[in-house]
Amino acid sequence: MTHVSLIPFKVENRFKASSKVPAGVEMVEAPSFWTLSNRGYGQVIAVLDTGCQSDHPDLKGQIIDGKNFTGDYNGDESNFEDNNGHGTHVAGTIAAAETGSGVIGVAPDAKLLILKVLSGEGGGSMQGIIDAIHYAVEWRGDNGERVRVMNMSLGGPQDIPELHEAVKNAVDHDVAVVCAAGNEGDGNLETDEFAYPGAYNEVIQVGAVNFNGELTRFTNTNDEIDLVAPGKDILSTYLDSGYSDLTGTSMAAPHVAGALAVLTNWAEKGFNRHIGEAEMYAQIIRRTTPLGHPLTAEGNGLLTMGLLERIAVWSGEKSSAS
């Protein structure tokens, strides 16, 4: 079956230590929303990537379980350590804990199911990805926890029917599937670029902008883009218990995955019931701000978690003033 690989990314800088809320987490307005929610507590996000440094100070308390689907470590299924860096970075953006001496993710109280589907060189089998998707859907924690969100910052050029079926099965089981759009963009908004599984209609496909809200040249454009998030110079956890700035749509997608965990908790508390994947999708799309780019580039716009709260405040101010 087809080989799949990491969506190319760029290491901008590496750091031994950090102590701040990353600019990407600030840009999607996660901190303003933490006052209204429990920051993703009880939610489990599956991270299908290169693994994760399990003893990183910001992540060691966040990992609930994991499995290796690659030939790394002689195929030891219990060893899902990251020997690349990409997966650790993605995991940190989603759910790095607030330790006071590192970084913090979008959903710092959520848990991570680490599924190593890509080797240290960044490649893996499509069958491994498919198996990991099914594994995530069927996984249950010791206390009955289940995966509600899945992040895949990876892709391949071919539409594989078995991959599509696995994605559809996940969505049918109320798992929101978040995918990076891909970094094959040529800067020409008139041309389309597709990477799978990101280009499937059933997934939440995320493109990348910089901190000024400008499209990155590399971000794929196509008619299945759902929204955009910061993907340039993104600070997060990295190998050797350190930190790094990375660039790519791979860095944009985990902002959305973390936001889904927080918003799902908020919505279920408000509705006093379980919500399905379609309602999870609606919650994230309601919290987007158009940036003025074509729909094929930005979809519904930039993830801005605090949008509805700002509207409520503005409405109250206008009502009291009238």
Side-chain angles (χ1 to χ4, degrees):
M1 189 172 280
T2 304
H3 191 75
V4 71
S5 62
L6 276 179
I7 290 174
F9 67 102
K10 182 180 179 182
V11 179
E12 306 287 359
N13 295 290
R14 291 189 65 174
F15 311 95
K16 285 295 184 183
S18 180
S19 182
K20 63 180 178 180
V21 178
V25 175
E26 292 276 14
M27 186 175 182
V28 301
E29 301 179 354
S32 67
F33 203 85
W34 292 335
T35 62
L36 301 173
S37 184
N38 57 14
R39 312 198 305 179
Y41 179 80
Q43 297 293 335
V44 179
I45 301 106
V47 182
L48 282 67
D49 214 291
T50 62
C52 182
Q53 183 192 332
S54 62
D55 62 351
H56 194 291
D58 298 1
L59 296 169
K60 61 184 180 181
Q62 309 303 87
I63 299 171
I64 192 169
D65 201 359
K67 185 175 180 179
N68 177 19
F69 290 83
T70 75
D72 287 0
Y73 312 117
N74 295 315
D76 181 357
E77 293 184 353
S78 66
N79 190 343
F80 49 85
E81 291 297 321
D82 187 4
N83 49 358
N84 176 280
H86 188 276
T88 299
H89 194 276
V90 166
T93 296
I94 295 173
E98 186 173 18
T99 66
S101 60
V103 296
I104 185 169
V106 175
D109 290 345
K111 294 297 183 182
L112 300 170
L113 173 64
I114 304 298
L115 302 180
K116 180 175 172 61
V117 298
L118 300 174
S119 69
E121 288 73 38
S125 72
M126 189 63 77
Q127 188 61 56
I129 306 274
I130 293 167
D131 291 345
I133 293 172
H134 288 306
Y135 181 87
V137 172
E138 297 166 4
W139 177 89
R140 295 294 182 271
D142 291 340
N143 298 310
E145 302 96 334
R146 55 169 299 223
V147 170
R148 298 299 305 282
V149 182
M150 184 183 305
N151 189 93
M152 289 190 280
S153 291
L154 48 81
Q158 290 183 292
D159 175 2
I160 305 297
E162 294 89 345
L163 175 64
H164 198 181
E165 288 303 314
V167 166
K168 289 190 285 187
N169 179 64
V171 172
D172 287 345
H173 283 82
D174 288 336
V175 178
V177 180
V178 180
C179 297
N183 295 353
E184 293 82 31
D186 56 8
N188 181 358
L189 300 184
E190 301 299 319
T191 60
D192 290 338
E193 302 86 25
F194 297 95
Y196 297 91
Y200 292 135
N201 176 262
E202 292 82 3
V203 311
I204 301 172
Q205 185 180 199
V206 187
V209 294
N210 63 23
F211 292 130
N212 294 320
E214 301 162 338
L215 288 174
T216 58
R217 179 178 176 82
F218 56 77
T219 190
N220 284 9
T221 56
N222 59 70
D223 58 5
E224 294 293 345
I225 299 289
D226 290 287
L227 74 167
V228 293
K232 180 75 169 67
D233 298 322
I234 302 303
L235 174 65
S236 186
T237 47
Y238 206 64
L239 297 182
D240 301 322
S241 299
Y243 305 87
S244 183
D245 289 334
L246 301 189
T247 288
T249 56
S250 287
M251 287 62 253
H255 288 93
V256 175
L260 276 163
V262 173
L263 293 172
T264 297
N265 266 0
W266 178 85
E268 292 188 337
K269 181 179 180 181
F271 298 154
N272 195 30
R273 63 172 174 81
H274 173 88
I275 66 171
E277 188 277 340
E279 291 177 293
M280 295 169 70
Y281 177 76
Q283 287 295 324
I284 206 82
I285 294 304
R286 290 176 70 200
R287 295 173 184 277
T288 53
T289 300
L291 299 175
H293 308 301
L295 293 179
T296 54
E298 70 169 41
N300 292 275
L302 173 69
L303 171 63
T304 42
M305 295 174 65
L307 176 62
L308 297 187
E309 284 61 55
R310 294 200 307 274
I311 292 174
V313 169
W314 296 335
S315 298
E317 290 174 349
K318 290 177 182 177
S319 297
S320 61
S322 60

